[in-house]
Amino acid sequence: MRIVVGVCGGIAAYKVVGVIRTLVLRGHDVHVIPTDSALKFIGAPTFEAISRNPIATDLFDGVAEVKHVSLGQSADVILVAPATANTIAKIANGLSDDLLTNSILASTAPLVVAPAMHTEMWQNPATQHNVATLVDRGAHIVWPESGQLTGSDVGVGRLAEPESIIAGVVAAAGSRDLAGTRVIITAGGTREPIDPVRFIGNRSSGKQGVALAEAARDRGADVVLIGANLEVAPPVGVDFVPVSTVAELRDGVVSRSPDADIVVMAAAVSDYRPVTVATTKMKKDAEGDSFSIELTANPDILAELGQRQHPRPVLVGFAAETEADAGELIARGAGKAERKNADLIAVNRVDEGRGFGAADNEVTIVDRYGEVHARAAGSKREVADAILAAARGVRA
Ligand SMILES: Cc1cc2nc3c(=O)[nH]c(=O)nc-3n(C[C@H](O)[C@H](O)[C@H](O)COP(=O)(O)O)c2cc1C
């Protein structure tokens, strides 16, 4: 998700640094717009380092990119935290005298406002009226809490806890259609050892599976991510199970699947493994100019899950194909769904720059009858959301 975070000039700005960090660690693209007052509390380098993006401050910087509207237009959600009485008043009255309020006025994205101020300021009828106006217009308010304020005083007006703010952002940004659902995702690429230093592997980075885990988490699911040799960090907030071989991955999935509602098998698994694994490194001198490795078939995890008695989880498999013809891709996906007794197959074309390792992906989600449930092309997160929506459609 692309999240614009407006930070205003209140002491609680330091807490929002932690909110920004968590959002970034959860894989979101965060763009911070601090007000001039906010920069008196927290320095620009902190926001830039934590958000991993340059910050935008001045309305008249980057005019060629029309920043005063482009930031708001491209946001999936805008968070204002801490929201001062001043900025709340400006938003409520449609003022736009700085980059943050311009961005808000130019955006149709959901707006999340987390106010923080002294009790008197919060309870002032002007502030209460302005907040009521925002609520009327559909803004999501993460209500301030009661407790110790900056000084020695105690009362309502303290910024909500970071987790509440993040939950507010997630809830505002997307539906929680998988709330209460248990989802298992496999990700990455398995490695079958040949000797202590070599293995049979594949080019899967795990990015698509990690994006699926993130998307499922954001949609409210309890997520188990079974990751084989991931090149990317597993997201926070999911139960991560690291594995390496197909046998380990199989054990991880099969032991947990009875409790699952949806299983998405995004990992690239090796169909075969060496019959014997050398206990010491194989030496060229000993093997000569050519040698063979005998392989034996690995368990077919998708088919095994497909054979389970009902009720069984909704099963989604992947088929990576180098075939270019769209009709043939659908036929292959349908054939795989039929053979494995899977509910859906996400067929993706892999070649140079597409599929494995790339940031973007393109899938067609089909069932065994060749019916196309969804097509998605874009970031792996967008593809992940399309796959989960299709899986939910099967479950409904
Ligand atoms: C030390 C200090 C702390 C402040 N804390 C708050 C606060 O928590 N909430 C608030 O609404 N205003 C607070 N203010 C006042 C705002 O900084 C002031 O209204 C400013 O104009 C807000 O600008 P902004 O909304 O563009 O960030 C504080 C001011 C100072 C000097």
Side-chain angles (χ1 to χ4, degrees):
M1 255 193 320
R2 191 176 162 94
I3 304 172
V4 166
V5 180
V7 183
C8 305
I11 296 281
Y14 79 91
K15 290 190 183 171
V16 174
V17 174
V19 172
I20 294 166
R21 181 165 171 74
T22 305
L23 290 171
V24 170
L25 292 178
R26 290 188 183 174
H28 301 296
D29 183 21
V30 179
H31 295 262
V32 181
I33 310 179
T35 63
D36 288 345
S37 306
L39 291 172
K40 294 194 190 299
F41 291 86
I42 306 285
T46 301
F47 288 128
E48 297 208 326
I50 295 293
S51 71
R52 302 179 187 171
N53 273 318
I55 61 159
T57 48
D58 196 292
L59 188 53
F60 294 97
D61 275 347
V63 170
E65 303 156 46
V66 217
K67 252 202 183 119
H68 71 289
V69 288
S70 63
L71 275 166
Q73 282 171 339
S74 61
D76 295 310
V77 58
I78 299 182
L79 165 68
V80 185
T84 51
N86 176 57
T87 292
I88 289 171
K90 289 204 282 185
I91 304 170
N93 289 286
L95 299 184
S96 53
D97 65 348
D98 61 9
L99 187 59
L100 175 58
T101 46
N102 269 276
S103 302
I104 292 170
L105 210 54
S107 180
T108 53
L111 175 65
V112 182
V113 177
M117 63 199 73
H118 273 84
T119 308
E120 292 80 357
M121 290 174 85
W122 173 249
Q123 288 176 340
N124 188 293
T127 304
Q128 288 299 306
H129 180 77
N130 291 331
V131 172
T133 302
L134 296 187
V135 171
D136 279 351
R137 294 205 196 117
H140 303 255
I141 310 294
V142 186
W143 298 96
E145 294 173 1
S146 197
Q148 177 87 52
L149 301 173
T150 307
S152 55
D153 39 356
V154 173
V156 68
R158 201 170 73 165
L159 184 73
E161 288 304 306
E163 271 312 317
S164 307
I165 297 174
I166 289 161
V169 170
V170 170
S175 68
R176 307 269 295 166
D177 61 351
L178 293 181
T181 306
R182 289 154 304 180
V183 177
I184 296 176
I185 313 276
T186 70
T190 56
R191 292 180 182 176
E192 298 298 342
I194 298 169
D195 69 11
V197 295
R198 302 181 181 92
F199 55 82
I200 297 173
N202 58 66
R203 294 183 190 278
S204 176
S205 63
K207 285 181 189 160
Q208 184 61 72
V210 166
L212 276 157
E214 254 171 32
R217 176 202 64 199
D218 290 349
R219 296 170 89 119
D222 285 337
V223 184
V224 177
L225 173 64
I226 301 174
N229 310 298
L230 301 182
E231 282 176 20
V232 286
V236 295
V238 309
D239 184 3
F240 176 55
V241 181
V243 296
S244 189
T245 63
V246 171
E248 290 166 5
L249 192 135
R250 178 203 165 272
D251 289 350
V253 181
V254 170
S255 65
R256 289 172 177 84
S257 67
D259 294 330
D261 301 298
I262 297 172
V263 178
V264 185
M265 303 280 288
V269 294
S270 176
D271 291 332
Y272 294 92
R273 68 178 186 279
V275 172
T276 53
V277 179
T279 51
T280 56
K281 186 180 168 197
M282 296 169 80
K283 293 275 193 283
K284 190 177 169 192
D285 292 348
E287 302 299 339
D289 282 345
S290 92
F291 74 99
S292 305
I293 300 173
E294 194 188 345
L295 302 178
T296 182
N298 266 325
D300 186 330
I301 309 169
L302 188 58
E304 186 177 343
L305 293 175
Q307 279 154 20
R308 292 177 66 90
Q309 294 299 306
H310 286 274
R312 65 157 172 77
V314 173
L315 270 187
V316 184
F318 270 73
E321 300 283 353
T322 46
E323 170 67 49
D325 180 69
E328 180 57 26
L329 277 177
I330 292 172
R332 290 192 186 181
K336 184 164 182 178
E338 171 76 40
R339 283 195 310 280
K340 315 275 180 168
N341 196 26
D343 296 288
L344 296 171
I345 296 289
V347 193
N348 64 331
R349 254 194 80 197
V350 288
D351 55 24
E352 279 303 308
R354 206 191 309 238
F356 286 162
D360 286 358
N361 205 357
E362 191 175 335
V363 299
T364 304
I365 303 157
V366 298
D367 64 19
R368 74 191 61 190
Y369 309 107
E371 192 189 325
V372 175
H373 288 238
R375 281 195 169 86
S379 68
K380 289 190 167 171
R381 173 59 192 254
E382 285 165 323
V383 167
D385 275 309
I387 291 169
L388 291 171
R392 191 179 172 279
V394 170
R395 197 173 126 71

